[in-house]
Amino acid sequence: MSLPLSEQNRNSHESDCEPASYLHGWRLHLLSLSIALCMFLVNIEVSIVGTSLVSISDELHGFDQMGWVVTGYLITYTTNNIHSGMIIIWAKLSDIFGRKWPMITTVAIFVAFSGGCGAAQSMDQLIICRVFQGIGAAGCSSLALTIAYEMVPKDKYPVQAAQLAGATAFGSLVGPLIGGGASQNAEWRWVFLFNVPVGVVTILLLFITLPSKFPHQSDPSYHSPSWRQRLSRASLARLDVSGAFLLLGATMLLVAVLLEGGVSIAWSSATSIILFVISGVMWIAFVANEWFFTKEKFRTEPIFPWRFLHDRAWMGTLIISMLSGIPYNIIVIDIPQRFQAVSGLTPFDAGVRLLPFNFLISFASVMVNVIAGATGILPVYILLFGSAIQLVGLALFSTLPTDGTIPAAIYGYQVLGGFGIGCVMGILLQIPPQVVQKRDIAISSGALLQFRVFGGALGLSITTSAMNNYLSSHMPAAVGGTSASALLQSVEVIREYPHEVQAQILKAFAEGYNLQMKIMVGFAALQVLVVGMLWRKNQIRLPARKKSAS
């Protein structure tokens, strides 16, 4: 008895592609550009908003909700991207409907809700649009990485990784400048509206360059299923809907209690306890769900196959990806905030002063892939080196003065931290195809990115909670409890107090930011230890670059 057509296609996808199926010429170059634009847009959204949050919160009156503006985006980005749920769902949808239309759909969702963010009239509206913007971003990044792996042979992976790392890092580099410039001119809405024209161009490029049957466009034995077959019960049964729901719910509840605990709800309240318990139960249910559906007898394809847990090196890769997302997101958000709230800089000046950090991430991300491809150095050594350098830089960040001054040494700290983070993020892009099975390429691509974004969301929620709780407990001594509540709505209120009181308030803010950095150092130290999980007898090696015939 023959297999269903969807199963035939899946098996076909799992087989190695023939050289003839790879893209060439103008189509390859333009598709590479469109994929790079996807990564650029998705990653610019964190750094571009970082320099704008103070202006946004002042106009929409919600300093205490700033964490949600970023975290709402990151959580849906995460749960759609990889491990969470939606990201894997996007990967599975691309297996059923092909790569082209899910890819275009994700960009369209991202663009539409970017416009919604730009039109938001309240902080709640902005947060909701950011959540849906994150849903689109999740698919953009995971499918972009999957397509990048599939359109070239393995020996070209270093070049692809360098391009993607460069696009990702470039977004981080120019984001603070765009966000700061727009906010300084009272036009913070263009921080989001900027995505619309660039996103439309990206959609047109994808429509023109991405073959409908990709990655099987040159395989005569491949039979593209009809839309009826794609929408059949048998095809849709492959989607792990229960796993996606459990992962999304567990993540959102955990982040909600971390962000609001001690601010709008007490840590010891029934609400906090119930949220923690329900989140814990959903995490356990998610793990059980993935174990259950990994069994061969089920058609449903788990978003996080149980076999991943049996691969120590791959689990180490994912944990490192998660931990590396924490310092990046916290620095691009908190350092510009600190420059504005504590040192009194304009949004644009704050963005300019973050350039060394973002430039070194860009430089290291590209450089490490070029060097790895040329020398064959083992990824585990690069990860250990980058993690150690990152730890040193972040430890120095936690020693910044609390009097509002900006020491020249901070740029050295940015160089160290950015270089270390760039090394880790850059080399991680090349590891999935060398570790997982062919059938798991789409899932692993999503998982790698989702773990990084989930780490950023989790770390940001923890540090935001620490900051809000620190201010709530230290502000009353300086300005009184009622005024402390007002300060969490808009930092502009600080300017209404006498100079002596302002100094006390700003010192509390600076101490809160230093506390966030100390928390981050703990995560960075753990990352150094986790690199050991990748050490094995047969070390992970990157594919050797083919030499052209003389």
Side-chain angles (χ1 to χ4, degrees):
M1 186 169 118
S2 62
L3 292 170
L5 188 53
S6 61
E7 193 71 16
Q8 294 178 28
N9 292 337
R10 181 172 61 171
N11 292 339
S12 174
H13 176 66
E14 291 171 5
S15 63
D16 290 331
C17 297
E18 294 298 325
S21 68
Y22 298 126
L23 300 181
H24 303 278
W26 68 270
R27 189 183 291 273
L28 172 62
H29 298 311
L30 287 181
L31 182 55
S32 296
L33 174 61
S34 62
I35 294 302
L37 284 174
C38 286
M39 299 299 285
F40 169 78
L41 286 174
V42 166
N43 286 279
I44 198 177
E45 271 306 293
V46 177
S47 60
I48 196 174
V49 171
T51 50
S52 311
L53 277 177
V54 174
S55 299
I56 294 171
S57 63
D58 281 339
E59 180 173 329
L60 300 182
H61 307 292
F63 182 83
D64 60 330
Q65 292 178 292
M66 285 200 301
W68 277 112
V69 176
V70 178
T71 306
Y73 173 80
L74 291 177
I75 282 299
T76 49
Y77 176 13
T78 298
T79 51
N80 273 292
N81 217 20
I82 308 180
H83 204 337
S84 295
M86 308 258 356
I87 226 216
I88 295 303
I89 289 297
W90 280 121
K92 290 303 179 185
L93 286 173
S94 72
D95 283 342
I96 295 174
F97 297 103
R99 302 286 188 245
K100 182 170 186 174
W101 295 111
M103 183 77 241
I104 291 176
T105 300
T106 62
V107 181
I109 292 173
F110 177 81
V111 170
F113 284 97
S114 292
C117 289
Q121 299 300 309
S122 69
M123 193 65 99
D124 289 338
Q125 292 178 11
L126 178 60
I127 291 170
I128 291 171
C129 286
R130 285 286 281 178
V131 168
F132 284 98
Q133 187 190 32
I135 291 176
C140 285
S141 54
S142 64
L143 295 184
L145 188 55
T146 300
I147 291 171
Y149 286 144
E150 292 176 332
M151 65 184 182
V152 296
K154 280 191 173 184
D155 65 291
K156 298 292 178 59
Y157 282 177
V159 175
Q160 290 294 98
Q163 290 176 349
L164 294 180
T168 298
F170 183 64
S172 302
L173 181 64
V174 302
L177 299 180
I178 297 174
S183 299
Q184 185 169 322
N185 294 304
E187 296 293 345
W188 63 262
R189 296 183 185 279
W190 282 102
V191 166
F192 302 105
L193 296 177
F194 166 83
N195 296 324
V196 176
V198 181
V200 170
V201 171
T202 303
I203 291 173
L204 291 175
L205 284 174
L206 289 169
F207 182 79
I208 294 171
T209 61
L210 190 57
S212 297
K213 294 183 179 181
F214 184 88
H216 309 291
Q217 65 275 1
S218 301
D219 184 359
S221 64
Y222 175 79
H223 301 287
S224 179
S226 66
W227 283 100
R228 180 186 294 273
Q229 291 171 316
R230 289 170 172 170
L231 293 172
S232 66
R233 181 178 298 179
S235 290
L236 296 179
R238 294 167 58 188
L239 297 176
D240 184 8
V241 178
S242 58
F245 170 77
L246 290 170
L247 184 56
L248 179 61
T251 304
M252 289 298 289
L253 290 176
L254 177 60
V255 170
V257 71
L258 289 175
L259 279 175
E260 300 299 331
V263 181
S264 63
I265 56 176
W267 287 109
S268 59
S269 67
T271 302
S272 293
I273 295 173
I274 290 173
L275 288 177
F276 269 126
V277 171
I278 295 177
S279 176
V281 170
M282 294 185 78
W283 279 113
I284 294 172
F286 170 73
V287 172
N289 182 86
E290 301 312 285
W291 170 80
F292 182 76
F293 283 120
T294 301
K295 298 177 181 178
E296 294 295 334
K297 64 180 181 179
F298 293 107
R299 180 176 294 275
T300 300
E301 300 171 15
I303 60 177
F304 191 75
W306 195 254
R307 55 185 170 271
F308 280 7
L309 292 174
H310 296 283
D311 190 329
R312 177 169 53 85
W314 176 234
M315 287 304 302
T317 301
L318 292 178
I319 295 173
I320 291 173
S321 184
M322 180 184 72
L323 293 172
S324 69
I326 295 175
Y328 169 74
N329 285 290
I330 292 174
I331 287 179
V332 298
I333 297 298
D334 286 355
I335 294 300
Q337 283 183 25
R338 181 181 186 130
F339 286 155
Q340 295 174 68
V342 178
S343 303
L345 297 184
T346 65
F348 182 77
D349 287 340
V352 170
R353 289 175 184 266
L354 195 63
L355 281 178
F357 176 74
N358 287 313
F359 175 76
L360 263 296
I361 290 180
S362 306
F363 174 76
S365 296
V366 176
M367 183 198 71
V368 75
N369 282 289
V370 173
I371 292 177
T375 65
I377 186 172
L378 297 179
V380 67
Y381 294 145
I382 296 175
L383 288 172
L384 182 59
F385 172 76
S387 297
I389 296 295
Q390 169 187 293
L391 176 59
V392 174
L394 298 180
L396 293 171
F397 265 117
S398 67
T399 65
L400 292 175
T402 59
D403 59 1
T405 60
I406 303 176
I410 192 174
Y411 304 113
Y413 306 164
Q414 290 186 42
V415 168
L416 290 173
F419 186 81
I421 293 172
C423 286
V424 173
M425 288 186 172
I427 201 63
L428 283 177
L429 291 175
Q430 292 204 55
I431 291 181
Q434 319 307 326
V435 178
V436 303
Q437 301 175 27
K438 183 74 175 179
R439 59 176 171 172
D440 292 327
I441 286 295
I443 298 177
S444 64
S445 301
L448 183 73
L449 297 175
Q450 193 243 301
F451 264 77
R452 189 183 82 189
V453 180
F454 175 70
L458 186 61
L460 189 61
S461 64
I462 292 173
T463 54
T464 298
S465 178
M467 168 66 108
N468 287 342
N469 281 276
Y470 186 86
L471 292 179
S472 296
S473 61
H474 286 71
M475 280 297 118
V479 298
T482 302
S483 297
S485 176
L487 287 172
L488 290 177
Q489 292 295 317
S490 174
V491 294
E492 285 299 314
V493 176
I494 298 175
R495 315 305 173 192
E496 300 176 3
Y497 289 94
H499 179 75
E500 298 78 13
V501 178
Q502 286 187 37
Q504 297 178 51
I505 297 172
L506 294 178
K507 182 179 179 182
F509 267 85
E511 291 172 347
Y513 285 121
N514 281 357
L515 173 61
Q516 291 182 319
M517 294 298 165
K518 291 175 182 176
I519 294 173
M520 191 166 56
V521 169
F523 286 115
L526 178 60
Q527 180 178 316
V528 175
L529 298 177
V530 173
V531 173
M533 293 180 65
L534 275 71
W535 189 269
R536 61 187 192 183
K537 185 176 181 180
N538 296 317
Q539 296 288 0
I540 300 171
R541 297 180 181 275
L542 302 181
R545 181 180 299 176
K546 291 182 180 179
K547 297 181 179 180
S548 57
S550 56

